[in-house]
Amino acid sequence: MSRQIFQLKVSLTGVRPSVWRRVLVPGGYTLDRLHRVVQHAMGWRDCHLHAFEIDGVQYGEPDPDAEPVVHDELDTRLDAVAGKGSRFGYVYDFGDWWEHELVVEDVLAADPDERYPSCPQGARACPPEGVGGPAGQLLLLAALADPHHPEHVTMRDWAGPGHDPTAFDAGRATTLLRRFC
């Protein structure tokens, strides 16, 4: 019996131009591992809280004293809660509130000559950590694009000289996925 591979499109919502990744992951991955896939494929650094919402149920790192109840992502496999055509949410950084939409585009048999997970496609760089959510990203993009913008130098220095909002390297994303997921 061959392993099932889920082809997911991960899109950052509320950001224009669109930032997205296509990832291939084993269906047997727990949501905790899927969290790491999203982190490394998108370019986040995993320094904030996160949660999945699938069919109205929250998954993440449970806190017995918190409301609402969050189901343990370590105990939940992707193939148990999603199938081809499923759509669900993932929020990263409850302060900046980065919402992601995940769509299961296809469920395939694993290619015996391929290694998983992988990130064969995507578009644009992930916003920098701490930029301030979608509104902060909009300000960053405007400031970087206009050398006369009053925040141009400050934002360029803050984001770093190597930050290119148009760049995405699928090979680098795949390397990170294979190393850390």
Side-chain angles (χ1 to χ4, degrees):
M1 184 173 168
S2 65
R3 282 191 312 163
Q4 286 189 320
I5 300 300
F6 280 52
Q7 178 179 302
L8 302 169
K9 184 172 184 186
V10 181
S11 303
L12 191 55
T13 63
V15 173
R16 293 288 172 252
S18 181
V19 175
W20 63 272
R21 307 290 183 261
R22 181 162 288 117
V23 294
L24 300 169
V25 299
Y29 268 23
T30 61
L31 294 182
D32 173 63
R33 283 187 85 180
L34 181 58
H35 155 70
R36 292 193 310 267
V37 166
V38 172
Q39 287 290 302
H40 292 293
M42 292 300 289
W44 299 119
R45 294 185 321 215
D46 196 12
C47 25
H48 301 283
L49 295 173
H50 69 278
F52 289 94
E53 183 171 329
I54 304 172
D55 294 328
V57 177
Q58 295 282 325
Y59 298 90
E61 296 178 28
D63 178 349
D65 299 324
E67 289 291 328
V69 172
V70 174
H71 297 271
D72 194 342
E73 66 189 3
L74 288 170
D75 297 335
T76 308
R77 287 172 45 134
L78 175 61
D79 58 8
V81 293
K84 185 175 179 177
S86 295
R87 293 177 177 271
F88 55 98
Y90 170 83
V91 174
Y92 173 63
D93 186 348
F94 296 166
D96 281 359
W97 202 257
W98 292 111
E99 290 184 71
H100 304 70
E101 178 185 52
L102 285 79
V103 177
V104 181
E105 295 180 316
D106 207 351
V107 178
L108 315 158
D111 180 340
D113 297 324
E114 189 63 40
R115 290 180 52 212
Y116 301 99
S118 67
C119 181
Q121 295 175 301
R124 301 190 59 82
C126 184
E129 296 273 355
V131 75
Q137 173 70 351
L138 188 61
L139 173 63
L140 175 68
L141 293 177
L144 292 178
D146 179 4
H148 302 294
H149 190 284
E151 297 291 320
H152 177 77
V153 172
T154 301
M155 291 300 235
R156 185 194 64 215
D157 291 348
W158 177 79
H163 180 72
D164 177 0
T166 66
F168 172 67
D169 182 344
R172 181 173 174 4
T174 294
T175 297
L176 291 172
L177 292 177
R178 291 182 179 159
R179 185 174 296 154
F180 298 111
C181 298

